[in-house]
């Protein structure tokens, strides 16, 4: 069965610093990969997604993610973090099984001023 | 504006009572989903429905029930059989052919006292 691992539960960065959130997946073929962001008490908003093609994917709010098949990873990056980026970030995989998204456990991002 | 609404935002119930969470969408999506979110566990699928009058169990369906009498509505009932119902519940919808592209509602936080 597919699975998603986000090894960092909580990350703190200074405003203006770069950010990388890690995501590793387990699946035999190339899955569809997603990053979502959730502000406290809110629903999930899609940041970006990878289906095929160019392994570097651009998303909203200045985020990007790179798919690395050899490492089974799909890490999320942002060159310069803003205080408003503080939220929880979820990596997810879709493989067509049972029509569901499988989510990682999330990484909570704190931004210090 | 098209979107997904969930009501209420906060819900309090006494232990042993059934409670129903509302989810409505006007995106003309055929598929709808219910997820449960607990701290440190990401999102887990409870039930999903791809067509009116039909639904399937997800990973954690025990203690929950759903109905799909209308395309726009997918209410979730948390029954007294659910051992630990306090959680954040998220509803989502998608086109059937694009189950990978799910749109999320703002969520309902259920607290059982």
């Amino acid at each position: 069965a597919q699975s998603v691992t986000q090894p960092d539960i909580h990350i703190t960065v200074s405003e203006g610093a770069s950010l990388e959130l890690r995501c590793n997946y387990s699946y035999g073929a190339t899955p569809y990969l997603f990053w979502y962001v959730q502000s406290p008490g809110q629903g999930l908003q899609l940041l970006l997604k990878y289906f095929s093609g160019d392994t570097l994917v651009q998303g909203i709010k200045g985020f990007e993610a790179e798919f690395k098949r050899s490492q089974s990873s799909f890490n999320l990056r942002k060159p310069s973090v803003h205080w408003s980026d503080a939220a929880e970030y979820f990596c997810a995989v879709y493989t067509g099984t049972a029509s569901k998204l499988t989510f990682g456990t999330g990484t909570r991002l704190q931004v210090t001023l | 504006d098209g979107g997904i609404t969930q009501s209420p935002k906060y819900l309090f119930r006494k232990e042993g009572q059934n409670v129903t969470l509302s989810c409505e969408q006007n995106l003309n999506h055929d598929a709808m989903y219910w997820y449960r979110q607990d701290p440190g566990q990401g999102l887990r699928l409870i039930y999903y429905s791809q067509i009116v009058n039909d639904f399937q169990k997800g990973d954690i369906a025990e203690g929950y029930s759903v109905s799909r009498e209308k395309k726009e509505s997918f209410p979730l009932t948390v029954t007294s059989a659910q051992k630990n119902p306090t959680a954040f519940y998220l509803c989502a919808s998608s086109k059937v052919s694009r189950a990978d592209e799910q749109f999320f509602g703002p969520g309902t936080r259920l607290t059982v006292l």
Side-chain angles (χ1 to χ4, degrees):
Chain A
Q2 67 273 15
S3 66
V4 178
T5 301
Q6 292 181 249
D8 304 306
I9 296 173
H10 186 212
I11 284 182
T12 300
V13 299
S14 300
E15 188 174 41
S18 63
L19 171 70
E20 183 169 27
L21 302 182
R22 296 184 290 167
C23 172
N24 293 96
Y25 68 91
S26 173
Y27 183 60
T30 301
Y32 292 179
L33 294 160
F34 306 82
W35 276 99
Y36 286 87
V37 61
Q38 184 183 35
S39 298
Q42 301 298 317
L44 272 66
Q45 181 182 21
L46 179 66
L47 284 175
L48 48 78
K49 57 189 176 185
Y50 172 78
F51 291 169
S52 65
D54 193 347
T55 57
L56 185 62
V57 180
Q58 302 297 321
I60 62 171
K61 304 185 179 186
F63 286 92
E64 66 178 27
E66 185 172 12
F67 170 64
K68 293 186 177 180
R69 184 190 305 275
S70 61
Q71 299 177 19
S72 297
S73 69
F74 188 56
N75 294 350
L76 182 71
R77 302 193 295 241
K78 187 169 185 178
S80 178
V81 171
H82 188 262
W83 64 266
S84 61
D85 293 325
E88 188 151 22
Y89 292 80
F90 292 93
C91 182
V93 60
Y94 176 80
T95 62
T97 303
S99 298
K100 71 171 185 178
L101 289 168
T102 298
F103 287 85
T105 51
T107 297
R108 180 165 298 279
L109 173 65
Q110 182 177 357
V111 180
T112 58
L113 301 177
Chain B
D1 289 337
I4 301 176
T5 57
Q6 291 186 242
S7 60
K9 188 170 180 62
Y10 299 97
L11 190 55
F12 297 88
R13 281 295 182 268
K14 292 183 178 179
E15 192 172 336
Q17 291 181 333
N18 291 355
V19 59
T20 298
L21 282 60
S22 169
C23 177
E24 304 275 337
Q25 56 95 3
N26 60 4
L27 298 169
N28 199 33
H29 287 165
D30 287 301
M32 297 186 73
Y33 313 80
W34 273 105
Y35 291 89
R36 170 181 172 138
Q37 184 178 16
D38 296 282
Q41 294 195 48
L43 280 73
R44 293 178 291 169
L45 183 66
I46 304 172
Y47 269 98
Y48 66 101
S49 168
Q50 294 181 308
I51 195 170
V52 173
N53 293 322
D54 188 43
F55 45 82
Q56 287 74 42
K57 293 181 179 179
D59 298 322
I60 56 165
E62 185 175 350
Y64 300 97
S65 66
V66 293
S67 63
R68 188 82 186 280
E69 298 177 0
K70 298 187 302 181
K71 182 177 181 178
E72 301 79 15
S73 178
F74 191 40
L76 172 74
T77 297
V78 184
T79 75
S80 56
Q82 168 51 234
K83 299 301 181 189
N84 186 20
T86 295
F88 190 53
Y89 292 87
L90 286 159
C91 179
S93 71
S94 74
K95 296 180 181 179
V96 171
S97 60
R98 292 305 306 273
D100 56 286
E101 196 168 272
Q102 295 181 22
F103 295 83
F104 285 82
T108 292
R109 181 163 300 280
L110 172 64
T111 301
V112 176
L113 307 173

